Amino acid sequence: MERSDWSGRDSLEEVCPRGCRWTAHYRKLIEQIYKKAFRFYFRNLRYAYGRNNTFLCFQVIREQNNEVLHKGVFLNQPSPFRLHAELSFLSWFHDTELSFDENYKVTWYMSWSPCPECAKEIVTFLDNHHNVTLTIYVARLYYHWNPTYKEGLRALVQGGTRLYTMAFPEFEDCWSLFVCNETFRPWENFHKCCSLQDKTLQKILRRGKMLKEETFRVQFNNAHKAQKPYRRRVTYLCYQLQEANGNLTKGCFRNKKGLHAERRFIKRISSMKLDQAQSYQITCYLTWSPCPLCAQELAQFKHSHPRVQLKVFVSRLYFHWKRTYQEALHRLCTSQVPVTVMGLPEFADCWDNFVDHQSEPFKSWDKLEQYSNSIERRLLQILKSWGVDDLTANLRTLQLGPTSPPVAGRDP
């Protein structure tokens, strides 16, 4: 299907069998990049003047057997089409005869990060193609100081894209796959430029997922009663996923639109299509312990992801006097999802990793450790009443370390 009036910057308006917007339009697929072109357009300088085009190098791999099915390069198409490289790929993907019954891993190496319009189209694409996992490595960040472009990058990650800046291994892979077989030789200040781009991206993504200081101190406060001025304490879930290669993914959820934070978290991690052959560690910080339904779904998630080590820290126990909620804690611990109560080290780690604290160290509130010890004793009593041994002793050594809207609330 063609639309002669489509500009490339308009929304993709055609509809594919999966309900995704698309267009089969003007695009030019090439196989290789000249060495001089690569070294000019992919050079990750802080100020990259004169680089007015975007190169998108891609691989499509069948997940079941890691077979490389397709690879190539798209460029932004100039006027009159003005078709961005990202939209060229989405158009090409729809025209390629790939089975909806198989899972695919797609990797992009890009000279510039996507613009907000393209980011929106990528998120829509992933929403309608749950069999596709997309990883994007970018050499440079496009208009990274512009709030609209920052929001576009955050939307990509929140929509399921794995977004990273290119470091030496990614430059080397891109060079060998799309340039030539010669050894990749970094340019001057290469590693310094890589570090700068990565810090900039982490700052953008981090700020988009950060809690305000006041929100953290109200919602994670472990006092038995809410402090004055009274604000309803709802469920917040902060998580960090660490892959075997060291890559980190972080995020925060709260109850919203009929979904508890735990269910939103499970939906988010499931959309990432984790490699079942790799090991992962996920650490969750919760303001309230899970309700029975969420505990059941967390246990099912762990059962379907045996190579995921899932650890849950809670600030407070939710309806801990009710037998059904005690059973929920029992179910989690017997499903290899250990639950423990947050102490001072965990509050400090959560503060460092998930709060926009402007480099201020965590300051304990009054009686924090007293409240924590009281809640932990209650948790151990509950577990022992169900015949469960203390499974939480080893969790105290866990440190996340530094990295370079409710259904009805949960009031006990």
Side-chain angles (χ1 to χ4, degrees), residues 138-344:
V138 298
R140 297 183 305 273
L141 298 169
Y142 190 48
Y143 283 104
H144 59 81
W145 57 87
N146 187 307
T148 303
Y149 286 74
K150 291 181 180 181
E151 287 301 323
L153 297 179
R154 294 168 188 155
L156 275 177
V157 174
Q158 293 168 2
T161 302
R162 302 180 184 183
L163 179 64
Y164 309 102
T165 56
M166 293 175 68
F168 183 81
E170 289 75 46
F171 278 102
E172 193 174 43
D173 288 345
C174 188
W175 177 273
S176 62
L177 288 169
F178 303 101
V179 183
C180 66
N181 293 324
E182 298 176 10
T183 302
F184 171 68
R185 300 184 183 280
W187 40 82
E188 185 180 0
N189 293 325
F190 171 84
H191 294 289
K192 182 179 179 180
C193 291
C194 288
S195 177
L196 179 62
Q197 296 288 345
D198 180 63
K199 288 180 180 179
T200 303
L201 177 61
Q202 292 304 322
K203 184 178 180 180
I204 292 171
L205 299 182
R206 182 184 178 200
R207 191 154 316 262
K209 297 176 181 177
M210 285 290 167
L211 299 175
K212 295 180 180 179
E213 291 186 33
E214 181 185 8
T215 300
F216 176 82
R217 292 191 174 278
V218 170
Q219 300 299 340
F220 276 88
N221 191 299
N222 59 353
H224 300 314
K225 295 183 179 180
Q227 304 296 305
K228 295 181 180 181
Y230 296 114
R231 286 177 54 186
R232 194 172 193 180
R233 298 191 293 186
V234 298
T235 299
Y236 279 80
L237 183 153
C238 303
Y239 76 92
Q240 175 174 278
L241 181 149
Q242 181 171 351
E243 303 180 35
N245 60 7
N247 287 333
L248 297 174
T249 302
K250 298 193 303 180
C252 294
F253 293 107
R254 60 169 288 180
N255 291 358
K256 184 179 180 181
K257 295 180 180 179
L259 288 177
H260 280 185
E262 297 92 328
R263 299 185 66 186
R264 296 184 66 198
F265 158 76
I266 293 171
K267 183 178 179 180
R268 169 70 178 89
I269 300 300
S270 298
S271 71
M272 297 174 64
K273 301 292 183 182
L274 300 181
D275 189 342
Q276 296 291 346
Q278 294 187 19
S279 298
Y280 301 86
Q281 178 174 298
I282 304 178
T283 302
C284 295
Y285 286 147
L286 279 155
T287 55
W288 289 109
S289 57
C291 70
L293 180 58
C294 289
Q296 180 179 354
E297 295 199 12
L298 285 169
Q300 291 173 349
F301 171 81
K302 178 65 178 76
H303 178 75
S304 61
H305 296 80
R307 296 186 64 84
V308 171
Q309 185 181 15
L310 177 59
K311 300 177 181 179
V312 176
F313 291 89
V314 299
S315 172
R316 303 179 299 272
L317 299 178
Y318 183 48
F319 283 116
H320 56 87
W321 56 87
K322 291 190 174 183
R323 199 63 174 166
T324 53
Y325 289 80
Q326 295 178 7
E327 184 181 8
L329 296 171
H330 164 262
R331 178 185 295 114
L332 281 174
C333 290
T334 55
S335 301
Q336 298 183 332
V337 183
V339 179
T340 197
V341 176
M342 295 174 67
L344 183 58

Side-chain angles (χ1 to χ4, degrees), residues 7-43:
S7 68
R9 290 189 179 275
D10 299 332
S11 295
L12 303 178
E13 295 178 352
E14 300 297 336
V15 179
C16 76
R18 291 294 294 271
C20 179
R21 298 174 297 168
W22 68 286
T23 182
H25 225 60
Y26 303 100
R27 60 186 185 236
K28 184 178 180 180
L29 176 63
I30 61 178
E31 295 182 0
Q32 297 290 122
I33 306 175
Y34 289 117
K35 289 185 285 186
K36 288 185 177 180
F38 179 86
R39 297 183 70 86
F40 179 77
Y41 282 101
F42 277 84
R43 186 166 296 208

